[in-house]
Amino acid sequence: MFDNQQINSIKGLETPFYYYDMALLEKTLDKAKNAADKHGFHVHYALKANFNKRILSLIQSKGFGADCVSGNEVSEAIATGFPASTITFAGVGKTDKEITTALEYQIFAFNVESIQEMEVIDELAGRLGHTARVSLRINPNVDAQTHHYITTGLDENKFGVPTSELEKAATAIRELKNIELVGLHFHIGSQITDLNVFKSLCVKVNEWKNWFEERGTVIKVLNVGGGLGVDYHNPDVNSIPDFEAYFDVFDRFLERTPRQEVHFELGRSLVAQCGNLVSRVLYTKSGVKKHFLILDAGMTELMRPALYQAYHKIERVSDENEEGVKLNYDVVGPICESSDSFGKEVSLPISKRGDLIAIRTAGAYGEVMASRYNLREEIRHVYSDSI
Ligand code: LLP
């Protein structure tokens, strides 16, 4: 994955750091944008996946909107140059301060998650003399068939308004004077690799859209959330997700009038493959049954394996011939937690102290979820085009 020139340019750098392949990011964004434009679809980038400044700027420059989940993300999106008219604000626990910030910027829409939240937005908008545009997040009870920590569209999840409360929500929307309903919002989970799941989502969206329209409510926007998965096992073969196939599913199965807009909130699929966590072997260790590689990166830099038992491909970064004898290593970090492991029984060329190791597909939910636990250093990053 790294060519010799790249290896030469990173080999002397202090580790660990995130390495972002900006050319791949640009190619990915272009593919996604073209595939969406073909159908007139709107894509909001989910900042939560990665809000690294250069990444955000590039995404903004390509004409994506922004999907935010905190007041700070809304402010960051504005500071990066995303037009307020393309910003959505989601989340089950928006504070009054965050809602006020978003109202002052006059963002495109709040994705509201409960009737009580709608009442609070209505009150705060009234105080400012604004009308708040909202999309109602419906929990459609669709199984995203992904890890249970990142599935969000089931009845037992905390997200969205349960369908049993929609009658009440529709009444509230009619009665609250400082709120304008622009659309319906759905998001069923993340890292979804089976496109049939999105087909099932379309069926539910059609059903609830009709339900509202039968009651005389105009639905301008159908926001179907994010969730398109990436190939963690083959990052070089499938470095860019199949955006064409993904958008085609919605084009084919979503029933919409020509004036109805379809919006997406993609995070992972846009940024995951361009990021790698580069780390150095600090120590090698052989136990009775195991060989360990102890890295200078740990769960503090990339939390996904510890938190979700997530798989990331692990490779040695080397300009030497990688054929030769291999060993099965448990690749672990330096943090005082047994869960601080990146992979067990990983087949790697025999490695030594000082070797560079790349943990692949780490551009989404990597750097943003880093922590200072153990008073670790602030995570560093480098960009392929500026080293
Ligand atoms: N929209 C909403 C309402 C969301 O909750 C999310 C992600 C997205 C959009 C973007 O989804 P994406 O396209 O990235 O799948 N930290 C976890 C993932 C958490 C996803 C949370 N919501 C991980 O590392 O796998």
Side-chain angles (χ1 to χ4, degrees), residues 2-270:
F2 288 108
D3 59 33
N4 284 353
Q5 197 191 341
Q6 285 167 324
I7 294 174
N8 274 332
S9 62
I10 62 169
K11 143 160 122 179
L13 299 177
E14 188 180 356
T15 48
F17 55 84
Y18 275 91
Y19 174 90
Y20 291 115
D21 181 339
M22 299 307 281
L24 176 59
L25 175 61
E26 183 157 17
K27 234 167 106 182
T28 307
L29 295 172
D30 289 341
K31 283 243 165 117
K33 191 75 173 68
N34 290 339
D37 285 352
K38 215 170 91 188
H39 306 290
F41 291 163
H42 301 252
V43 181
H44 305 260
Y45 167 63
L47 267 75
K48 65 163 84 68
N50 191 320
F51 45 72
N52 180 293
K53 281 193 190 305
R54 278 219 41 213
I55 289 187
L56 274 191
S57 293
L58 187 59
I59 295 176
Q60 183 275 332
S61 74
K62 295 286 178 183
F64 291 84
D67 166 43
C68 304
V69 285
S70 71
N72 286 345
E73 281 193 1
V74 172
S75 300
E76 188 66 18
I78 296 276
T80 308
F82 288 94
S85 61
T86 69
I87 297 177
T88 54
F89 181 15
V92 284
K94 305 177 187 78
T95 65
D96 294 19
K97 187 173 153 196
E98 291 177 313
I99 293 170
T100 306
T101 302
L103 282 169
E104 281 166 350
Y105 286 126
Q106 305 202 25
I107 62 162
F108 172 67
F110 291 84
N111 294 336
V112 294
E113 307 245 3
S114 71
I115 298 174
Q116 190 175 29
E117 181 195 331
M118 245 175 344
E119 290 165 353
V120 171
I121 295 177
D122 176 71
E123 189 192 322
L124 295 172
R127 273 194 227 157
L128 291 174
H130 288 206
T131 301
R133 286 173 294 275
V134 304
S135 290
L136 186 67
R137 178 165 181 182
I138 298 177
N139 185 336
N141 198 22
V142 170
D143 186 353
Q145 297 183 12
T146 180
H147 193 286
H148 63 283
Y149 279 9
I150 50 177
T151 187
T152 49
L154 285 173
D155 277 346
E156 70 222 43
N157 297 127
K158 67 180 174 183
F159 301 98
V161 178
T163 49
S164 56
E165 288 222 1
L166 284 184
E167 200 77 65
K168 250 163 75 187
T171 311
I173 289 161
R174 273 193 301 276
E175 286 171 359
L176 297 171
K177 291 292 161 259
N178 307 307
I179 277 192
E180 177 199 345
L181 182 78
V182 289
L184 301 179
H185 174 234
F186 302 81
H187 173 79
I188 51 172
S190 198
Q191 183 52 18
I192 297 169
T193 49
D194 177 359
L195 292 183
N196 285 315
V197 171
F198 294 113
K199 230 194 257 180
S200 311
L201 171 63
C202 289
V203 172
K204 293 283 182 173
V205 175
N206 295 339
E207 194 181 305
W208 291 109
K209 179 190 80 122
N210 291 340
W211 188 93
F212 274 89
E213 287 177 345
E214 278 159 16
R215 283 157 182 77
T217 309
V218 179
I219 302 295
K220 200 173 116 202
V221 171
L222 300 171
N223 182 334
V224 293
L228 175 62
V230 297
D231 190 343
Y232 281 94
H233 290 267
N234 303 294
D236 294 317
V237 182
N238 294 318
S239 58
I240 301 181
D242 191 348
F243 293 108
E244 299 263 338
Y246 170 69
F247 289 122
D248 275 350
V249 168
F250 292 91
D251 186 56
R252 286 174 54 208
F253 296 99
L254 216 51
E255 291 161 9
R256 58 188 166 126
T257 61
R259 294 180 57 196
Q260 231 150 19
E261 295 175 7
V262 184
H263 289 226
F264 295 80
E265 300 169 340
L266 293 180
R268 187 190 315 265
S269 52
L270 297 177

